[in-house]
Amino acid sequence: AEALIQREHKNLTRFVLSRNNLSSEALAEITAALTGYSSLESFSVSGNVLIGRDGCVSLGAIIRVAALHLEQVFHDDDDLDDEGLQTLVAALTNATTLQLLALSRNLSITAAGLRALSQLFSSASASVCPLETLHIEDMNIGDEGAEALVDGLRGNTTLKHLVLTPDSAGITNTGWAAFSRLLCDTSSINNTYRSNHTLEHIGDDYHYVSDPFGGPKLFRSGNYSGGYFPCIPPAVVQYLKINKEYHSLQDAATIKIGRCHPDIPVEVFFGYKLKFLPLLVSWFVGFGTR
């Protein structure tokens, strides 16, 4: 902490202090010293199980200072619980450049804590916190946790990668059905249109690749044709593939409507005579070319 305070140039962009048995008091000293480092882009304190809720409060101070530049926060293996996560999320809502949040192996986090993430996922927050990747690997979130994530992701247009461990996440058919409805609600055409067309990856088949322009590490998902775990239902995989292949939300919605509602009741347009005809022709022609 003293070295950070005495450092003349405050242009540090990456700070990693993982697996050092940091206490919440030690972290408080370090975060106080980092308050002058407003260019911080990546912050990792993974593997410090003594941090606790007080440590999350200290982290919140750093996040608020670096909110204009912070892109990655690594908080894995820190024995974080629901209250600590809620404290962390409250600070992250103003992180205007946050792309990645890693919370893996925090086994005390339950569905109650995961519901707090809805503050980052909501459409109102997306313009402020454009989170793209969430890591919750090796956590038994169960169906309640899956449904908590699904509830938060309704209307979200930023999160692309939900990195979890499918075969040990405790998700049954009930939880996967919730993900299926999130990605493509087939109960009506309107609900299909309003489904999530952004999320394109669920699973842990991930690896790092280098950015050729020298920027931060990027993530790339596995092979969609065979890289998914058997426990993920084919329908979920199919909807994820559509979201990945059609980057336009409008295109993804169109494909899902065309596949799930082949018998569109066109009688509803008859009362408008020919007013909707050009629009309908354009829609069907566009669908046929995709």
Side-chain angles (χ1 to χ4, degrees):
E2 188 65 28
L4 290 170
I5 294 173
Q6 295 180 359
R7 183 184 171 98
E8 182 178 353
H9 300 290
K10 309 294 184 182
N11 55 357
L12 188 68
T13 59
R14 186 167 182 261
F15 184 83
V16 179
L17 200 61
S18 302
R19 294 172 174 81
N20 281 275
N21 291 323
L22 284 179
S23 65
S24 57
E25 293 79 9
L27 183 61
E29 293 181 14
I30 292 171
T31 52
L34 283 170
T35 53
Y37 292 80
S38 59
S39 298
L40 203 61
E41 296 176 359
S42 180
F43 189 87
S44 175
V45 289
S46 299
N48 292 287
V49 297
L50 302 177
I51 288 177
R53 180 185 175 277
D54 291 340
C56 290
V57 173
S58 300
L59 286 174
I62 287 298
I63 290 167
R64 292 184 181 94
V65 170
L68 294 178
H69 299 280
L70 198 62
E71 297 178 355
Q72 302 174 332
V73 172
F74 294 87
H75 214 323
D76 311 283
D77 304 288
D78 284 340
D79 199 24
L80 195 65
D81 60 10
D82 291 339
E83 191 175 8
L85 180 56
Q86 291 162 2
T87 302
L88 182 66
V89 167
L92 287 170
T93 52
N94 291 322
T96 57
T97 54
L98 185 68
Q99 297 176 14
L100 181 149
L101 175 61
L103 301 170
S104 298
R105 292 171 294 281
N106 285 295
L107 305 183
S108 296
I109 293 177
T110 70
L114 293 175
R115 287 192 185 281
L117 293 171
S118 62
Q119 297 178 52
L120 304 182
F121 295 152
S122 71
S123 56
S125 300
S127 59
V128 179
C129 180
L131 186 66
E132 293 185 1
T133 303
L134 174 66
H135 284 257
I136 50 171
E137 293 142 302
D138 300 318
M139 293 169 60
N140 187 355
I141 64 172
D143 289 336
E144 288 189 14
E147 290 172 353
L149 291 170
V150 165
D151 289 343
L153 285 170
R154 287 195 178 94
N156 177 268
T157 58
T158 63
L159 193 78
K160 295 182 179 181
H161 311 292
L162 179 57
V163 188
L164 51 76
T165 312
D167 55 358
S168 62
I171 303 175
T172 70
N173 290 337
T174 300
W176 290 119
F179 276 116
S180 183
R181 287 192 301 273
L182 168 72
L183 295 164
C184 187
D185 185 342
T186 61
S187 62
S188 71
I189 293 175
N190 282 340
N191 287 341
T192 301
Y193 182 81
R194 296 190 187 103
S195 299
N196 183 296
H197 308 303
T198 304
L199 185 63
E200 61 185 45
H201 176 261
I202 299 176
D204 64 357
D205 50 334
Y206 257 52
H207 60 275
Y208 287 99
V209 294
S210 298
D211 183 349
F213 300 102
K217 295 284 188 177
L218 302 176
F219 288 93
R220 180 174 294 164
S221 58
N223 182 357
Y224 277 85
S225 62
Y228 273 88
F229 289 83
C231 56
I232 301 181
V236 174
V237 176
Q238 175 188 354
Y239 298 144
L240 292 169
K241 283 182 64 177
I242 292 173
N243 286 358
K244 180 177 175 63
E245 293 171 2
Y246 298 93
H247 298 293
S248 164
L249 303 186
Q250 186 72 34
D251 286 349
T254 300
I255 293 297
K256 292 176 186 177
I257 291 172
R259 292 185 180 180
C260 299
H261 305 278
D263 300 320
I264 296 177
V266 294
E267 306 86 41
V268 297
F269 298 104
F270 288 171
Y272 298 95
K273 298 184 178 179
L274 298 179
K275 292 180 181 178
F276 278 105
L277 185 58
L279 179 62
L280 288 173
V281 170
S282 174
W283 192 89
F284 280 108
V285 168
F287 175 72
T289 59
R290 294 182 177 96

